[in-house]
């Protein structure tokens, strides 16, 4: 499965809802979208990973670089909705300490 991205803006935040897998083949699309939002002046960017079933090192690299880019522009970038394998990789690498927004999310009722 590829990666689908949907951006919404509400309450001063831009949220990118990702669906599918973030890997070597799809991470450039996410990187471009995140960079565009921050460069366009968004001050709070949220990446919703609720519907992401896989994230490899290239996806983690995109999230870290986007986080650093946002901070350099006096913006914030946070992740929400990570659970299962995706939450585990964020926690294992320590990225959860600065990327995850709020308390850990529970898995959706449909068991993903």
């Amino acid at each position: 499965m590829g990666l689908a991205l949907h951006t919404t803006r509400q309450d001063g935040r831009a949220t990118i809802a990702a669906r599918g897998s973030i890997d070597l083949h799809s991470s450039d699309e996410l990187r471009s979208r995140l960079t565009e939002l921050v460069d366009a002046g968004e001050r709070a960017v949220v990446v919703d990973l609720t519907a992401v079933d896989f994230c490899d090192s290239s996806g983690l690299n995109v999230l870290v670089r986007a986080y650093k880019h946002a901070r350099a522009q006096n913006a914030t970038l946070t992740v929400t909705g990570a659970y299962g394998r995706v939450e585990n990789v964020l926690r294992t690498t320590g990225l959860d300490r600065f990327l995850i927004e709020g308390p850990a999310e529970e898995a959706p009722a449909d068991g993903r």
Side-chain angles (χ1 to χ4, degrees):
M1 177 180 205
L3 181 67
L5 301 173
H6 178 71
T7 305
T8 57
R9 290 173 178 81
Q10 183 177 354
D11 299 328
R13 295 173 16 153
T15 300
I16 296 179
R19 175 177 295 279
S21 298
I22 304 172
D23 56 24
L24 181 62
H25 302 291
S26 63
S27 61
D28 279 344
E29 183 179 358
L30 179 59
R31 179 193 49 75
S32 294
R33 184 78 59 92
L34 291 170
T35 301
E36 287 170 11
L37 287 171
V38 171
D39 288 351
E42 295 291 345
R43 293 294 132 230
V45 177
V46 178
V47 183
D48 182 352
L49 299 179
T50 302
V52 171
D53 56 5
F54 178 80
C55 182
D56 71 5
S57 61
S58 60
L60 295 177
N61 186 18
V62 165
L63 293 173
V64 169
R65 287 179 182 264
Y67 173 84
K68 289 179 177 181
H69 180 66
R71 285 189 51 124
Q73 302 297 320
N74 295 317
T76 62
L77 182 132
T78 54
V79 169
T80 190
Y83 67 91
R85 290 188 295 177
V86 176
E87 179 185 20
N88 187 46
V89 76
L90 290 172
R91 291 199 186 289
T92 300
T93 59
L95 296 177
D96 63 313
R97 286 179 263 157
F98 60 94
L99 284 178
I100 293 182
E101 175 181 73
E105 303 283 334
E106 291 189 26
D110 67 0
R112 277 198 253 146

